Amino acid sequence: MSQIIDTVNRYAGMIDWSAFNTWYARYLEKYTNTKGKRITIGVAIALTLVCRSIYRRTTPPKNLRHIPHITFWDSINHFMVQKFPTSDTFKTLHRPLLNAKESMYLRWDRNGWVVHVAHPEAVKQVFMKSDIFPKMDESRFAGTLFARFVGSSNILFLNGHEWKKHRKLANPAFHRSMPVKLFGESARDLYAMLDKDNEGSNFTLDFGRLMERYTLDVIGRAGFGFNFNSVTDENSEWKKVYDEVTVSFRKPLFILFPILDQKFRWLFPTRLQEYRNLNKFMDMLRGVIDHKRRVLKESIGNGDDAEKDLLTLMLESENRGEGILTDDELMGDLGIFFIAGHDTTAFALSAAIYYLAKHPEIQEKARQEVTSILCPNGEEKRDVLPTAEQTKEFVYLNQIIKEALRINGSVVSLVTPRHTAADVTLNNVFIPKDTLVNVNIYDLHHNPNVWDDPETFNPDRFAAGAEADQKAGGGMSWVPFSNLAEQRVVLSTLLRHYTWNLPENSPHSKEIITGNTLIMFAKNLQVQFHKRF
């Protein structure tokens, strides 16, 4: 009811009541001399205002109509009604609007009407000119489930001084922490579990779900020193809680209409339970932070920085006087680290495994490279975990990872759109001040005006001097979003332990089938594995 009253008051403030009274006395008063007539006219005016509001929300603003747009109803149909995979939406709605010169279009989403850019030069401007393209203020989404997870003050959403405060602590931690040993030990636990649970030399499993379990353990240990034990225990309590939380983030109705979270969640009993699950998870994180603070007062500086978790490194920097964050700010950063280190890496690994399954010749070439580096004296039938230095020698494997991130990257577009702080021109297209602009990474990577034969998986395009290198000077044509070091460790050890392929009649035979939310995920990606030793 309060929302209705606010809407009425907002429109009432826009009306020139003096002019309205004159008009009413001259033309309408004689027709409203009974209560019934006044009610009828009042309802008609209310409906007119509602229709006007709907029209304004579903029609591009006048100052942006020179940009090609996707209709409001097409957006709703693809995302919420039909729930088409991202690739289908791209081919049907986006690709036809990506001309060679501008490669941009207008589309409605939860933020309103947003300009999506998919041209390397425009992408570079949006990323590099933060004074003209500052991040959108996310505070208006306060009260939603996702906002409660990442908070409003985190390293991803902030601008200017506040962003630098977070970055000052996080950046050194990222540079010092490269837990290759942890990645390898987690991978070894994974293979031990697979061998235990699958008798014989062949088995089939949902690889996407497996990677979600593995990467959750890794981000727990690498991020803040907590082991979810989801690899060794599929029924791990915290794994179940986190799964329920991530599924709740993907619900289209609440993504597109955040007001349902903010004002009307009491109408959705399952949503209330999802908030309780998130609160339980957040309480666990707070407990970890409190414990870390107590321990570090007595043990600052001990141990190998490269293998320390990010939270420990950030708190150590704080104790050295390099900056300070509140617990809520740390919680927000941990939420972002979860998304960046778990969901994105799980899909990146799934996509790489998928393309290696589809291209056995590429898989074998990568296996030979890995074996030559890890076992230079000949193939040995034993576990060999790569060192940090050895992962840098995986030239061809690195090309595979980069190409997988291009053709099926982990993130569809920027999590936080930018807004124009002044009138600006992008690729000769005028964009007025206070316009939302987003880099659409999926469109950029599949833009036929940017990449040759973009729907074909071809790691050679990332070879030295090849297509990717040739494009490097012309803006930003490749925008990865994942942990490459972790992928090198997992893929190199997988190549040593197994060969794999897609089952017959796989629904993924033509292309990987994904969801359509901001963070990509594979739908029931069954893969057949064959033990090598």
Side-chain angles (χ1 to χ4, degrees):
M1 179 59 70
S2 62
Q3 292 294 316
I4 296 173
I5 293 172
D6 288 344
T7 301
V8 171
N9 288 336
R10 186 168 63 251
Y11 282 115
M14 298 166 58
I15 297 173
D16 181 348
W17 288 106
S18 176
F20 175 81
N21 288 335
T22 301
W23 172 82
Y24 177 83
R26 180 177 300 178
Y27 299 108
L28 201 60
E29 189 172 19
K30 62 183 177 180
Y31 300 110
T32 61
N33 54 4
T34 69
K35 182 178 180 181
K37 289 179 179 179
R38 287 194 293 272
I39 291 174
T40 301
I41 298 250
V43 170
I45 292 173
L47 288 174
T48 300
L49 291 175
V50 170
C51 290
R52 182 171 179 264
S53 176
I54 293 173
Y55 175 79
R56 290 181 64 185
R57 291 177 182 273
T58 60
T59 305
K62 288 183 179 179
N63 61 354
L64 295 176
R65 290 180 190 170
H66 59 288
I67 301 173
H69 75 277
I70 295 166
T71 71
F72 171 88
W73 304 111
D74 277 341
S75 295
I76 292 290
N77 181 50
H78 269 251
F79 182 70
M80 192 171 75
V81 181
Q82 301 291 341
K83 299 182 181 179
F84 289 121
T86 296
S87 60
D88 286 5
T89 299
F90 167 75
K91 293 170 187 174
T92 304
L93 300 182
H94 300 184
R95 187 166 60 186
L97 302 181
L98 298 180
N99 59 42
K101 188 176 182 181
E102 291 90 11
S103 289
M104 72 174 64
Y105 59 86
L106 193 63
R107 179 173 180 172
W108 182 90
D109 62 25
R110 61 183 271 156
N111 301 297
W113 288 95
V114 182
V115 175
H116 287 246
V117 298
H119 188 283
E121 288 294 346
V123 170
K124 185 176 181 180
Q125 287 190 59
V126 173
F127 276 129
M128 303 302 291
K129 297 184 177 181
S130 58
D131 56 332
I132 299 176
F133 299 99
K135 298 171 186 175
M136 183 191 74
D137 181 8
E138 294 280 346
S139 62
R140 63 195 179 111
F141 294 125
T144 63
L145 194 73
F146 184 74
R148 183 168 295 188
F149 182 51
V150 299
S152 59
S153 181
N154 61 60
I155 196 169
L156 184 63
F157 291 169
L158 295 171
N159 289 292
H161 172 73
E162 286 299 311
W163 174 81
K164 289 179 181 178
K165 181 177 74 171
H166 286 251
R167 193 67 181 176
K168 187 176 181 180
L169 289 178
N171 210 32
F174 277 120
H175 284 297
R176 294 202 303 271
S177 178
M178 188 54 64
V180 170
K181 181 180 177 182
L182 186 154
F183 296 154
E185 290 174 349
S186 297
R188 179 178 284 165
D189 292 342
L190 176 69
Y191 308 141
M193 181 275 295
L194 291 176
D195 291 344
K196 178 182 177 182
D197 291 351
N198 299 280
E199 296 182 0
S201 59
N202 305 316
F203 56 90
T204 301
L205 50 77
D206 182 344
F207 190 77
R209 292 291 296 167
L210 181 66
M211 286 298 96
E212 288 174 5
R213 292 165 61 188
Y214 166 79
T215 55
L216 183 60
D217 280 358
V218 169
I219 190 57
R221 294 173 64 189
F224 52 94
F226 181 87
N227 195 342
F228 286 91
N229 292 314
S230 59
V231 165
T232 55
D233 180 9
E234 189 172 7
N235 297 314
S236 163
E237 178 188 5
W238 289 114
K239 171 68 167 61
K240 286 184 176 181
V241 172
Y242 186 70
D243 279 352
E244 291 167 354
V245 168
T246 54
V247 168
S248 65
F249 290 155
R250 298 171 181 169
K251 294 189 173 180
L253 182 65
F254 295 96
I255 292 174
L256 286 182
F257 303 105
I259 193 173
L260 297 178
D261 255 349
Q262 295 167 318
K263 301 292 185 180
F264 301 106
R265 78 174 76 119
W266 52 272
L267 292 172
F268 306 91
T270 56
R271 197 63 172 175
L272 294 175
Q273 180 57 47
E274 288 163 357
Y275 271 82
R276 287 191 286 270
N277 289 336
L278 179 59
N279 289 338
K280 180 179 180 180
F281 187 78
M282 300 293 278
D283 286 343
M284 181 271 288
L285 289 184
R286 289 189 183 91
V288 170
I289 292 174
D290 290 342
H291 176 72
K292 284 282 184 184
R293 286 192 188 279
R294 291 194 300 270
V295 170
L296 289 177
K297 286 182 180 179
E298 303 174 1
S299 59
I300 186 169
N302 296 331
D304 179 5
D305 279 354
E307 292 294 330
K308 288 180 180 178
D309 60 80
L310 288 172
L311 177 60
T312 294
L313 290 170
M314 290 176 70
L315 291 177
E316 286 182 346
S317 296
E318 182 180 286
N319 290 341
R320 288 193 294 267
E322 297 171 9
I324 189 167
L325 297 177
T326 67
D327 283 357
D328 285 343
E329 289 172 330
L330 279 171
M331 290 279 289
D333 284 348
L334 286 180
I336 296 300
F337 297 159
F338 259 103
I339 295 169
H342 172 255
D343 305 78
T344 61
T345 304
F347 180 74
L349 286 164
S350 299
I353 287 296
Y354 167 76
Y355 287 107
L356 290 177
K358 281 195 66 176
H359 301 279
E361 72 286 356
I362 295 177
Q363 181 184 147
E364 185 55 34
K365 183 177 178 180
R367 182 173 292 108
Q368 291 176 7
E369 177 189 67
V370 167
T371 299
S372 68
I373 293 169
L374 297 184
C375 305
N377 298 321
E379 180 159 345
E380 301 175 27
K381 301 289 185 179
R382 61 181 179 83
D383 281 333
V384 181
L385 299 182
T387 64
E389 290 303 315
Q390 285 175 322
T391 62
K392 299 174 184 177
E393 299 178 42
F394 297 147
V395 176
Y396 189 63
L397 183 62
N398 203 46
Q399 292 173 209
I400 291 169
I401 293 170
K402 288 182 175 181
E403 175 66 347
L405 287 173
R406 182 199 66 81
I407 196 169
N408 268 115
S410 304
V411 178
V412 176
S413 61
L414 287 183
V415 176
T416 303
R418 312 298 175 97
H419 71 88
T420 52
D423 292 347
V424 66
T425 298
L426 279 177
N427 283 17
N428 299 316
V429 177
F430 173 75
I431 300 178
K433 181 182 177 181
D434 294 326
T435 298
L436 293 177
V437 178
N438 207 344
V439 171
N440 195 304
I441 298 172
Y442 188 94
D443 289 1
L444 173 70
H445 289 174
H446 289 256
N447 191 340
N449 305 301
V450 176
W451 295 96
D452 299 333
D453 196 14
E455 302 300 325
T456 298
F457 181 77
N458 177 19
D460 289 337
R461 73 173 86 235
F462 283 94
E467 182 183 4
D469 276 358
Q470 294 169 16
K471 296 181 184 300
M476 299 178 71
S477 55
W478 181 66
V479 184
F481 200 104
S482 191
N483 188 325
L484 272 66
E486 184 175 351
Q487 290 187 67
R488 294 185 190 113
V489 173
V490 176
L491 292 174
S492 64
T493 52
L494 272 170
L495 286 163
R496 291 272 301 132
H497 278 76
Y498 308 101
T499 61
W500 60 88
N501 56 270
L502 295 179
E504 290 186 18
N505 302 317
S506 169
H508 302 270
S509 58
K510 291 184 178 180
E511 63 181 6
I512 189 170
I513 300 173
T514 70
N516 63 358
T517 50
L518 182 64
I519 307 297
M520 299 278 273
F521 64 95
K523 290 187 174 182
N524 192 23
L525 180 59
Q526 296 291 323
V527 178
Q528 289 182 340
F529 285 88
H530 314 277
K531 297 178 185 178
R532 298 184 69 241
F533 60 87

